[in-house]
Amino acid sequence: MNSDQAELLKETLLELERSKEREHQLAEENRVILAALSALSNADNKYQIFEELKRVLGRYIEFDDFIVISKSKHCSSYYTFLTSNPAFQGKQWRNTPKFQRVLSGEGIVLFEPNEQDEFHHLSSSLKKQINSVLMTGISAEASNSVLLLIGKRKGQFSLETKATLLRFRPLLERAISDIEYKEELQQLVNIKTRELSIAQQQAEQANKSKSQFLAMMSHELRTPLNAVLGLIDVLRQDISKEQRDLLEQMENSAELLLIIINDILDLSRIESGHFKLQCNWIDLEKKLGNSLSYHKQLAQEKGINFTVTHQLCHENVYWLDSTRLMQILFNVVGNAIKFTKKGNVTVDLRTVSDSLMITVKDTGIGIDDDRIEQLFSPFIQADNSITRTYSGTGLGLTITKHLVELMNGKISVESKVNQGSTFTIMLPLKSKVSSRESNRFDLIDEQSSEKNHAKQILVVEDTKTNQMVIKLILNRLGYTVTLADNGQDAIKLLNHDKQFDLVFMDVSMPIMDGIEATKQIRLKGLNVPIIALTAHTMDQDKNDCLKSGMNDFVMKPIRTKDLSGVLSKFIPGN
C-alpha cells in the first residue's frame, strides 16, 4: 500500500468515526425529543411546557435568553408570549419578512441583530444584551409563534447550531400546539369561572332578597299575633273552667299558626346553616298531650277516628326543644289528617330506652314507592295534583326531616297507595327525675301586685294594640307602666337611671327605631336595662340588638312567662 492509499484509508476511517458520532448524537437527540414529548404530555400549563422546552434546547444550544413571541392569525403584530427574561414581558413586535420566513420552517441566524428591523423598537439597554440571535417559527392552527434564542456574545450562534435547532422542530411544533390548546382551555375555564362567579353573585343576591322578604313577612305576621296571644294570656284570670278550655283551644290554634308562619323562615335558616335548637327541661307527657288537642278537634270535624296512645314516664323531665317537637308533631300528624278522608289516624308516643318513638299511622291516600324519595324535598308533595286538591306549602316534611336530624334522630315512612302511611320518628332523649316544682312562669303570682308595686317600667312600642297588651300583662304582674310611641320620645322621657327599673324597647318604629334609641341612651351614660321587643327572628337581628347596648331580647308574640323571665333576671327581688 502506497502513501496515497494509506492517506485515503485514514480519511475514510476518520469519516466513518465522524459518521458514528453523528449517528450517536442523532440517536441521543431523538431519545431526548421522545422523553421531552412525554414530559409535555404531562404538563399542566404553558409555563411548564416552556420550561421543559428551554431545558431540552439548553442541553444542545448555548443561549442566554429564550423568548416566544406570538400572534393570532387575524392580528398584525406579535407580542411577548413567554420569556425567560422579565425585561421582555409586554413587548410588541412588528411582523417583518424574516418572521414570515421562519414560519415556513426556515432557521435564521442574525449576527448583527441590533441593525435589524425586528429589534429597532427595543430600548438601548435591551439592545446591549442582544448580540446574536437564532430563531425559527411555528405556524399552528390558531396562531403564529416565533422562537428567539438570544446570545449576549457576538457569533454565539453558527450554522451548526441552526441545524441543531431545526432538528428539534418536531418537538417545537408539538410544544406550540400544546401551549395553544392549553391556552384555549384556560380561556374557556376563565369564561366559565366568570360565568359561575356572576351566577353565584346573582344567586347570593336572590337569596339575600329572599331572606329580607321572609324577615319582613315574619315581622308583619308576628305583630298581629302578638296581640292575639297576649290577650289570651290577659283573659286567663278569673274565668270558668269552660272558658279556660276555650282559651286554651284558641291559644293552641294561634301557636300552630305561628309555627306555620315560621316554616318558611325556618327553611331559609336551615339552608344557610344558621338554625339552632333551644332545649329546656320539659314535662314530655303534658307537652305532647296539649300539642295534639288541636289535631283531635280537626279529626273530629272530618269524621275521622283519632286515637292517641302513650307510654311515657311521668316521673321524668326531658331535655328537648319543645317548640320544635311540637312543630314535628304538627307537620306529621297534620299531614295524616289532611290526606285521610275516612278511617283512622293513630298516634303512638312512647319512650324506648333513651329515645322517644313517635308513630303516626293513617288510612289515607298513601304514596307511590317511586315518590317516597321526593317526599322530604322542599316544595314537593307526593303528587302534583295533591297540591291543588289538599293545598299546602310542601315545606312541612322537609323542615321536619331537618329538625329530626338536628336532634340526632331518624324519620322513616312506609306507605301503600289507597291503604295509608306510617311515619316513625326516633329522637334520642336525655332525662332526669322531675322535682315536680311548679314552673313559676306558667301561673301568675297573685301576690306579685303587692310585691312589685314600686317597680317602674317604660314600654317603647309604636303599635297601640301591642301597647295595650303589654301594659295589661305588666299591670297584672304588679308593675307601673309608662308608654312611649317611638325611640325619640323614650329618650326625652329618660333623664336618669333610677327613673325606670327597666325598658322594653321595640326594634322597628317610625321617627327613631329601637337600635338608634338604645345607642343614644347609652351615650348619655344611662345604664338602665333595655330589653328588645322584636318580631325579627334572624340571628343577625339579635346580634344588632346586643351590639347597640341592649341587655336582652324578647321575641314576639310576647307571652306572660317570657316577660316574667326577663323581669326576674334584671330586676332584683322580683
Side-chain angles (χ1 to χ4, degrees):
M1 179 183 298
N2 58 35
S3 59
D4 291 340
Q5 290 175 330
E7 186 65 28
L8 179 62
L9 179 60
K10 288 180 181 180
E11 289 179 0
T12 302
L13 290 174
L14 182 60
E15 184 61 31
L16 180 61
E17 187 65 27
R18 289 174 179 170
S19 177
K20 287 182 178 179
E21 289 179 0
R22 285 196 298 270
E23 183 180 351
H24 177 74
Q25 182 181 359
L26 290 173
E28 175 65 15
E29 288 178 1
N30 288 335
R31 186 188 66 77
V32 170
I33 289 173
L34 289 173
L37 289 173
S38 176
L40 295 182
S41 300
N42 296 322
D44 294 329
N45 52 59
K46 63 182 180 182
Y47 301 106
Q48 291 181 3
I49 295 174
F50 178 71
E51 288 299 321
E52 178 64 20
L53 205 56
K54 185 176 73 169
R55 184 189 68 80
V56 172
L57 292 177
R59 292 184 58 178
Y60 300 96
I61 303 173
E62 182 188 354
F63 57 85
D64 296 293
D65 291 319
F66 181 25
I67 305 169
V68 178
I69 64 174
S70 183
K71 77 176 188 69
S72 61
K73 296 290 186 180
H74 62 273
C75 289
S76 58
S77 62
Y78 289 84
Y79 70 98
T80 300
F81 182 56
L82 294 164
T83 177
S84 61
N85 187 346
F88 290 98
Q89 287 180 350
K91 300 297 182 183
Q92 297 288 327
W93 306 75
R94 290 175 51 207
N95 187 6
T96 66
K98 290 187 182 68
F99 288 164
Q100 294 295 324
R101 285 168 53 191
V102 296
L103 289 175
S104 62
E106 188 178 344
I108 296 178
V109 177
L110 299 179
F111 296 99
E112 297 289 341
N114 292 328
E115 303 299 324
Q116 306 298 318
D117 292 341
E118 290 78 10
F119 301 93
H120 275 172
H121 66 289
L122 297 178
S123 65
S124 58
S125 60
L126 277 180
K127 286 181 180 180
K128 290 179 180 179
Q129 301 179 42
I130 305 174
N131 290 300
S132 186
V133 173
L134 173 61
M135 62 180 174
T136 190
I138 304 294
S139 180
E141 182 177 347
S143 64
N144 293 331
S145 298
V146 175
L147 290 80
L148 302 172
L149 300 180
I150 307 296
K152 293 182 178 180
R153 303 191 322 272
K154 287 185 178 295
Q156 187 166 334
F157 303 116
S158 63
L159 296 179
E160 185 177 351
T161 53
K162 181 180 79 171
T164 300
L165 179 64
L166 293 179
R167 286 199 298 273
F168 279 88
R169 276 194 64 84
L171 177 62
L172 302 179
E173 290 174 350
R174 169 64 183 275
I176 296 300
S177 176
D178 283 359
I179 287 175
E180 184 178 275
Y181 170 74
K182 291 186 184 301
E183 273 294 284
E184 291 176 353
L185 188 61
Q186 186 61 48
Q187 290 177 5
L188 182 61
V189 169
N190 291 341
I191 291 171
K192 293 298 182 184
T193 301
R194 285 195 297 270
E195 290 176 351
L196 286 173
S197 178
I198 292 171
Q200 182 180 7
Q201 291 174 8
Q202 292 174 341
E204 288 174 352
Q205 181 59 45
N207 190 57
K208 183 179 179 181
S209 299
K210 180 191 74 173
S211 297
Q212 290 173 343
F213 171 77
L214 292 176
M216 179 189 69
M217 290 304 297
S218 172
H219 176 270
E220 295 302 316
L221 291 169
R222 284 171 176 270
T223 299
L225 264 179
N226 179 64
V228 173
L229 287 167
L231 287 171
I232 289 174
D233 273 351
V234 171
L235 293 172
R236 287 182 188 278
Q237 195 173 22
D238 299 326
I239 59 175
S240 66
K241 182 180 183 304
E242 183 180 358
Q243 290 171 326
R244 188 182 297 276
D245 290 340
L246 290 174
L247 281 177
E248 287 181 356
Q249 297 267 354
M250 291 172 61
E251 183 180 37
N252 286 336
S253 297
E255 287 184 340
L256 291 172
L257 177 59
L258 183 61
I259 289 174
I260 295 173
I261 293 171
N262 287 338
D263 272 357
I264 296 177
L265 189 62
D266 285 347
L267 182 64
S268 178
R269 283 175 172 178
I270 289 168
E271 289 176 342
S272 64
H274 295 151
F275 189 92
K276 295 181 180 179
L277 296 174
Q278 302 293 330
C279 294
N280 294 286
W281 291 106
I282 64 169
D283 185 332
L284 193 57
E285 185 176 22
K286 179 180 178 181
K287 180 62 68 173
L288 291 177
N290 291 341
S291 67
L292 293 173
S293 60
Y294 167 82
H295 297 96
K296 182 176 181 179
Q297 181 180 351
L298 187 63
Q300 289 174 347
E301 292 174 357
K302 291 187 67 174
I304 300 169
N305 295 322
F306 185 74
T307 305
V308 178
T309 59
H310 58 82
Q311 295 181 17
L312 305 172
C313 181
H314 64 276
E315 296 180 354
N316 288 351
V317 289
Y318 298 89
W319 184 254
L320 278 171
D321 187 328
S322 60
T323 301
R324 300 310 171 188
L325 179 60
M326 285 182 61
Q327 191 172 357
I328 290 170
L329 274 173
F330 173 75
N331 288 332
V332 178
V333 179
N335 277 351
I337 295 171
K338 180 195 295 187
F339 298 123
T340 301
K341 292 183 178 179
K342 59 181 180 179
N344 307 299
V345 172
T346 301
V347 181
D348 182 70
L349 311 165
R350 63 182 64 209
T351 50
V352 180
S353 298
D354 294 327
S355 296
L356 169 65
M357 184 169 72
I358 303 171
T359 306
V360 181
K361 186 174 183 180
D362 65 66
T363 57
I365 60 175
I367 310 163
D368 288 329
D369 291 339
D370 58 348
R371 293 187 179 273
I372 287 180
E373 292 184 2
Q374 300 178 352
L375 199 60
F376 298 102
S377 300
F379 303 107
I380 294 178
Q381 293 187 331
D383 191 331
N384 291 335
S385 62
I386 288 176
T387 303
R388 296 189 296 270
T389 305
Y390 294 93
S391 73
T393 63
L395 291 176
L397 288 179
T398 303
I399 294 172
T400 296
K401 185 173 186 292
H402 282 300
L403 292 176
V404 169
E405 291 175 349
L406 279 171
M407 294 178 175
N408 298 316
K410 294 181 180 179
I411 181 171
S412 59
V413 57
E414 296 178 359
S415 185
K416 290 185 179 180
V417 177
N418 297 324
Q419 294 185 32
S421 305
T422 301
F423 284 80
T424 303
I425 300 168
M426 295 291 293
L427 299 174
L429 290 177
K430 183 168 69 173
S431 63
K432 69 177 183 179
V433 177
S434 172
S435 63
R436 287 300 165 188
E437 293 180 357
S438 299
N439 187 330
R440 69 185 306 272
F441 305 134
D442 287 343
L443 297 174
I444 299 172
D445 186 354
E446 294 180 357
Q447 298 178 350
S448 61
S449 178
E450 180 181 349
K451 181 174 63 176
N452 298 319
H453 70 279
K455 303 299 183 181
Q456 300 287 328
I457 304 293
L458 173 61
V459 174
V460 190
E461 166 68 60
D462 62 307
T463 305
K464 296 299 181 183
T465 306
N466 286 342
Q467 285 183 356
M468 176 192 70
V469 171
I470 299 170
K471 185 176 181 180
L472 283 171
I473 294 175
L474 291 174
N475 285 160
R476 288 181 58 206
L477 290 171
Y479 294 93
T480 301
V481 176
T482 301
L483 297 173
D485 293 332
N486 55 68
Q488 192 175 86
D489 291 347
I491 293 172
K492 292 177 181 177
L493 285 169
L494 277 166
N495 297 316
H496 53 83
D497 268 339
K498 295 183 179 180
Q499 184 179 4
F500 294 102
D501 296 281
L502 185 140
V503 177
F504 283 112
M505 179 80 72
D506 188 21
V507 173
S508 297
M509 294 180 291
I511 304 178
M512 182 182 291
D513 63 41
I515 300 292
E516 182 59 30
T518 300
K519 290 178 180 178
Q520 294 197 24
I521 291 169
R522 296 310 185 208
L523 286 174
K524 292 175 67 174
L526 300 178
N527 296 315
V528 59
I530 301 177
I531 311 301
L533 298 177
T534 178
H536 296 290
T537 60
M538 305 299 282
D539 290 339
Q540 185 58 48
D541 298 318
K542 298 176 183 177
N543 292 334
D544 290 342
C545 291
L546 297 177
K547 286 180 181 178
S548 71
M550 294 182 177
N551 301 87
D552 208 336
F553 48 84
V554 174
M555 301 299 299
K556 294 180 180 179
I558 295 166
R559 309 304 303 275
T560 300
K561 64 179 182 180
D562 297 328
L563 293 180
S564 297
V566 77
L567 287 166
S568 65
K569 181 178 179 181
F570 289 98
I571 298 181
N574 181 42

